[in-house]
Amino acid sequence: MTVLVTGGAGYIGSHTVHELVDAGEDVVVLDNLSTGRRTALPGQCKLVVGDVGDQGVVANLIDTHQFDAVIHFAGSIVVPESVRQPLGYYRNNTVNSHALIDASVKGGVRHFIFSSTAAVYGNPEQVPVTEGAPLAPVSPYGWSKLMTEVMLRDAGAAHGLKHVILRYFNVAGADPKLRSGQSTPNATHLIKVAVQTALGLRPMMEVFGTDYSTPDGTCVRDYIHVTDLARAHRDALTFLRGGGASATLNCGYGRGYSVLEVMEGVRRACGRNFPVTMAQRRAGDPASIVAEASRIRKLLGWEPQWDNLDTIIAHAIAWERRLLEERVGSAN
């Protein structure tokens, strides 16, 4: 059985590809390399450079490889950017996902795993937030993902496409073996930004909003190690292949940390302070969002290995230092 992974050369996608290949899976990656890196992929997988919205390319791949499953990562993920460029997000995240789902149904793909987001909850009424909480995105990014969830559920009901929707909370860290990590230029992920600032790779960092209704006034998030998230995708694939019914699952640890707490963790790990500017709130940022994540553990048997903020930060630092060494080496 062969798996198609869209966006597999990106941050979360590449970690999942390593997880699948380590488990003996045959993997084909479809990625346009707009943010992904060839070097993030294991040599055992096949990379096809192309767009997930190109139905001709996707249909040909499905016909050639007879995939039993698609894992769909490809898309745009920056909340503030989605507020400025909503139509681009609806095209890249929703229209392209429609094309992929359609091609999958027509090609006889049996299983589909979708990379969704906690942004579909918006500002949740209760925290931790369950999968049954009201869905009220506050950004085009969140809406673009929710629209894809709806399409996938309807396709499942009409065409029998069994699927798992994984709603990510805040993904961070890097592969403990340093085979991959967050490498996107100008990334906006808090832990990466804080680590880069602590290592002198950015002149300063901004804290967006200090007047939220949280203990220290800054946003609170549930940070999940990217390798644990990759394992959740493999567990979801095993679940579907074993006859599991379609499901929507939160991916988080069930504990939240504020922006200031994360920054303090980076200071401790790096042993140095770094310049910070307090700024206004960003559009589309909820105050606090933490997962109620018991369902994924119960349904998939998912057992996180790296459930520790200090460990997540340590792996992010190790990856950033490796990237720095690579840049220095290439310059010489």
Side-chain angles (χ1 to χ4, degrees):
M1 293 183 285
T2 307
V3 182
L4 174 64
V5 181
T6 73
Y11 176 41
I12 304 171
S14 62
H15 284 81
T16 301
V17 171
H18 278 286
E19 181 74 27
L20 293 171
V21 169
D22 287 349
E25 295 283 353
D26 186 12
V27 178
V28 175
V29 171
L30 175 62
D31 198 302
N32 64 13
L33 299 182
S34 59
T35 57
R37 305 196 317 161
R38 293 176 186 268
T39 55
L41 294 170
Q44 300 95 315
C45 75
K46 174 182 176 64
L47 171 64
V48 176
V49 179
D51 198 305
V52 70
D54 188 332
Q55 283 188 290
V57 168
V58 174
N60 183 61
L61 283 174
I62 293 173
D63 183 61
T64 301
H65 296 279
Q66 296 296 299
F67 302 114
D68 83 304
V70 170
I71 303 179
H72 179 33
F73 294 101
S76 302
I77 63 168
V78 182
V79 171
E81 180 183 66
S82 78
V83 176
R84 297 190 302 270
Q85 302 174 25
L87 297 181
Y89 271 67
Y90 291 127
R91 180 188 64 247
N92 201 29
N93 290 356
T94 310
V95 175
N96 284 357
S97 292
H98 170 273
L100 177 65
I101 294 168
D102 186 43
S104 297
V105 168
K106 290 176 179 175
V109 174
R110 298 174 58 201
H111 308 124
F112 198 104
I113 299 169
F114 175 53
S115 162
S116 193
T117 171
V120 299
Y121 298 118
N123 279 298
E125 297 173 2
Q126 292 185 327
V127 176
V129 60
T130 69
E131 291 89 348
L135 302 176
V138 294
S139 68
Y141 166 65
W143 280 110
S144 71
K145 289 288 192 174
L146 181 55
M147 289 175 185
T148 302
E149 287 192 13
V150 172
M151 284 193 297
L152 187 53
R153 287 199 193 100
D154 288 347
H159 305 292
L161 180 62
K162 292 294 180 67
H163 58 272
V164 171
I165 296 167
L166 296 177
R167 291 177 178 159
Y168 307 166
F169 283 65
N170 283 60
V171 189
D175 174 41
K177 298 178 183 178
L178 297 183
R179 296 172 296 181
S180 186
Q182 172 54 263
S183 305
T184 307
N186 304 313
T188 60
H189 298 69
L190 172 63
I191 290 177
K192 182 177 180 71
V193 170
V195 167
Q196 287 184 324
T197 309
L199 296 179
L201 301 173
R202 294 182 185 232
M204 53 79 68
M205 68 170 289
E206 293 180 297
V207 174
F208 297 100
T210 58
D211 58 348
Y212 288 97
S213 56
T214 59
D216 65 19
T218 63
C219 290
V220 172
R221 298 289 184 268
D222 187 340
Y223 293 91
I224 176 174
H225 196 293
V226 64
T227 299
D228 280 338
L229 182 58
R231 179 58 183 267
H233 289 78
R234 181 157 73 88
D235 289 343
L237 181 60
T238 300
F239 172 76
L240 289 173
R241 284 175 172 170
S246 296
T248 299
L249 303 169
N250 286 339
C251 293
Y253 293 145
R255 286 188 305 279
Y257 296 92
S258 73
V259 173
L260 297 186
E261 287 174 325
V262 170
M263 288 166 48
E264 182 55 34
V266 172
R267 289 190 183 100
R268 279 197 313 271
C270 290
R272 67 188 72 168
N273 206 343
F274 48 87
V276 176
T277 297
M278 300 302 174
Q280 297 297 312
R281 296 185 183 191
R282 294 185 304 190
D285 278 346
S288 177
I289 188 158
V290 176
E292 205 301 312
S294 60
R295 189 160 184 253
I296 188 173
R297 295 173 186 250
K298 184 180 300 182
L299 197 64
L300 303 188
W302 179 62
E303 296 182 0
Q305 303 287 310
W306 308 102
D307 180 4
N308 181 279
L309 181 63
D310 289 338
T311 301
I312 292 171
I313 290 171
H315 290 170
I317 292 170
W319 176 253
E320 210 58 51
R321 285 179 169 148
R322 172 161 185 167
L323 289 179
L324 184 58
E325 290 170 1
E326 289 178 0
R327 286 194 290 270
V328 170
S330 63
N332 294 332

